[in-house]
Amino acid sequence: MTQGKFPLDKFDSIETPFYYYDISLLHETLEAIQAEIIDKPYHVHYALKANTNPRILKEISKYGFGADCVSGNEILRAIENGFEPNQIAFAGVGKTDREIEIALDNDIFSFNVESIPELHAINSLAQTKGKKAKIALRINPNVDAHTHSYITTGLTENKFGIEEKHLPDVLKLLPTLTSVELMGIHFHIGSQITDLSSFKNLCLKINELQNYFESNKMWLEHINVGGGLGVDYKEPDTNPIADFPAYFKLFTKHLELRKGQSLHFELGRAVVAQCGSLISRVTYLKEGIKKNFVIIDAGMTDLIRPALYQAFHHIENLTSKGKSSVYDIVGPICETSDTFAKDFELNKTQRGDILAIRSAGAYGEVMASRYNCRDWAKSYFSDTI
Ligand SMILES: *Cc1c(COP(=O)(O)O)cnc(C)c1O
């Protein structure tokens, strides 16, 4: 018996909870991205932090995409799984000396530098190694991404990037730092952005900044606009693939790329979110006061987004066709925030039913923890299950 795209017969014998990845959907998504960039000076760096499962990384790196990393270990993981070191961008406000050394040893594409102290650290570590570090300045554009405040990164109140008002100091400093080379400018305004006008505002800001760099006689080889494109958590089956044509066209239309410049994107969520589901079994049904709880064996330890960002995930009961009823779907962890959905309609649910929590491919498995001494959930893939 197979419901939709889930091989239910196989699921029966697997210990729940587990992550299930639809590898054909991942390929279709990667092909959709490739189709938009193939004839342009555009490069996509997959943002590893969304999902670092080695199998997933190997599929993505096969397409020739670069990587966007936010730690030294992510750089190593990317290289282990087929990404080219010279296509790795490295962001993060707190790069340690050890992490900078890993990046220098691997001759990465770009350090996306987030502060003046970091610039000094990279310069001195590169000097010790007799290397020249290629850098891009991550600038805080003060553009509102209109997304959840915990995943907004491009406002002056956020910790990320160099403030525009500090740019004159940076430009004065750069010629004195002989072991770094300025290659570009970098931005990342937030995540799960569904209002594309935020990206348009980013383009307009970048155009202004390009003029500023040019008026200071500084040539930028690349512009990196970061990631953040959102996915449809409400209707993953209607919109399994994000609107990449609209997304890339927006940059083509509004960003004034100079001759010879390349444009870089760091997509994470939009690449992997929809191909993953968290599969869980119903442990108990519990009647509350004006509430019916479905208690499942997956918890916030396996998918923390609802608890952390009040994120919505679509949930379906794969084993019931019964008349639908309204439930709160909760995990077993001793925290009230361990709730996947409130007042949510599911087909009539019983102990032993199997639920799929959809769109769990991004920021799911990577954010798992062992709180409550829980076991790690394993992962399974549609083509090898
Ligand atoms: C998280 C992050 C991304 C990816 O964001 P998504 O919303 O998953 O596309 C890209 N660039 C940087 C610097 C990031 O921190």
Side-chain angles (χ1 to χ4, degrees), residues 47 49 68 70 91 138 186 188 191-192 227-228 266-269 363:
K49 75 174 190 282
D68 164 52
V70 292
R138 176 170 179 174
H186 171 242
H188 175 66
S191 199
Q192 184 51 19
E266 299 172 335
L267 297 170
R269 187 190 308 272
Y363 307 105

Side-chain angles (χ1 to χ4, degrees), residues 52-100:
T52 49
N53 186 302
R55 173 73 205 280
I56 300 286
L57 294 183
K58 287 191 180 90
E59 297 304 329
I60 299 172
S61 64
K62 275 188 213 156
Y63 282 75
F65 294 142
D68 164 52
C69 298
V70 292
S71 75
N73 285 348
E74 277 194 0
I75 293 175
L76 297 174
R77 177 77 69 102
I79 295 169
E80 272 161 29
N81 289 287
F83 291 94
E84 293 292 339
N86 65 9
Q87 291 194 66
I88 295 179
F90 182 21
V93 295
K95 301 177 188 79
T96 64
D97 289 8
R98 185 185 150 265
E99 291 178 310
I100 292 170

Side-chain angles (χ1 to χ4, degrees), residues 280-288 291-299 315-320 324-333 338-357:
S280 178
R281 204 177 282 273
V282 175
T283 314
Y284 298 110
L285 265 95
K286 175 173 164 174
E287 223 176 278
K291 285 264 185 208
N292 280 314
F293 293 105
V294 171
I295 303 171
I296 62 177
D297 61 7
I315 302 176
E316 47 192 289
N317 186 331
L318 302 182
T319 45
S320 165
S324 70
S325 193
V326 174
Y327 303 98
D328 276 16
I329 301 156
V330 302
I333 311 295
D338 186 31
T339 296
F340 288 105
K342 281 188 174 162
D343 301 322
F344 191 85
E345 253 185 58
L346 280 183
N347 289 352
K348 175 115 188 95
T349 295
Q350 307 177 48
R351 173 173 162 87
D353 280 351
I354 295 179
L355 306 192
I357 304 174

Side-chain angles (χ1 to χ4, degrees), residues 35-198:
E36 297 306 317
I37 61 172
I38 199 130
D39 54 351
K40 300 195 178 69
Y42 292 2
H43 301 270
V44 169
H45 303 254
Y46 166 64
L48 254 82
K49 75 174 190 282
N51 190 316
T52 49
N53 186 302
R55 173 73 205 280
I56 300 286
L57 294 183
K58 287 191 180 90
E59 297 304 329
I60 299 172
S61 64
K62 275 188 213 156
Y63 282 75
F65 294 142
D68 164 52
C69 298
V70 292
S71 75
N73 285 348
E74 277 194 0
I75 293 175
L76 297 174
R77 177 77 69 102
I79 295 169
E80 272 161 29
N81 289 287
F83 291 94
E84 293 292 339
N86 65 9
Q87 291 194 66
I88 295 179
F90 182 21
V93 295
K95 301 177 188 79
T96 64
D97 289 8
R98 185 185 150 265
E99 291 178 310
I100 292 170
E101 283 172 352
I102 290 172
L104 286 169
D105 291 343
N106 285 288
D107 297 316
I108 64 163
F109 165 69
S110 173
F111 288 84
N112 292 336
V113 177
E114 310 224 8
S115 68
I116 292 175
E118 182 192 331
L119 202 48
H120 284 291
I122 294 172
N123 183 63
S124 98
L125 291 164
Q127 195 159 33
T128 310
K129 288 186 184 287
K131 295 204 170 195
K132 203 153 190 164
K134 289 188 281 182
I135 63 151
L137 299 173
R138 176 170 179 174
I139 302 169
N140 185 341
N142 198 21
V143 168
D144 195 344
H146 302 288
T147 184
H148 191 278
S149 66
Y150 287 7
I151 48 176
T152 290
T153 52
L155 291 176
T156 50
E157 70 206 53
N158 302 133
K159 69 179 175 182
F160 300 99
I162 296 170
E163 295 301 334
E164 217 181 319
K165 72 167 195 197
H166 294 144
L167 279 181
D169 294 340
V170 175
L171 294 202
K172 234 181 275 155
L173 177 65
L174 275 174
T176 70
L177 303 178
T178 51
S179 298
V180 299
E181 187 179 5
L182 178 69
M183 307 299 288
I185 48 178
H186 171 242
F187 307 84
H188 175 66
I189 57 173
S191 199
Q192 184 51 19
I193 298 169
T194 49
D195 174 0
L196 289 186
S197 72
S198 303

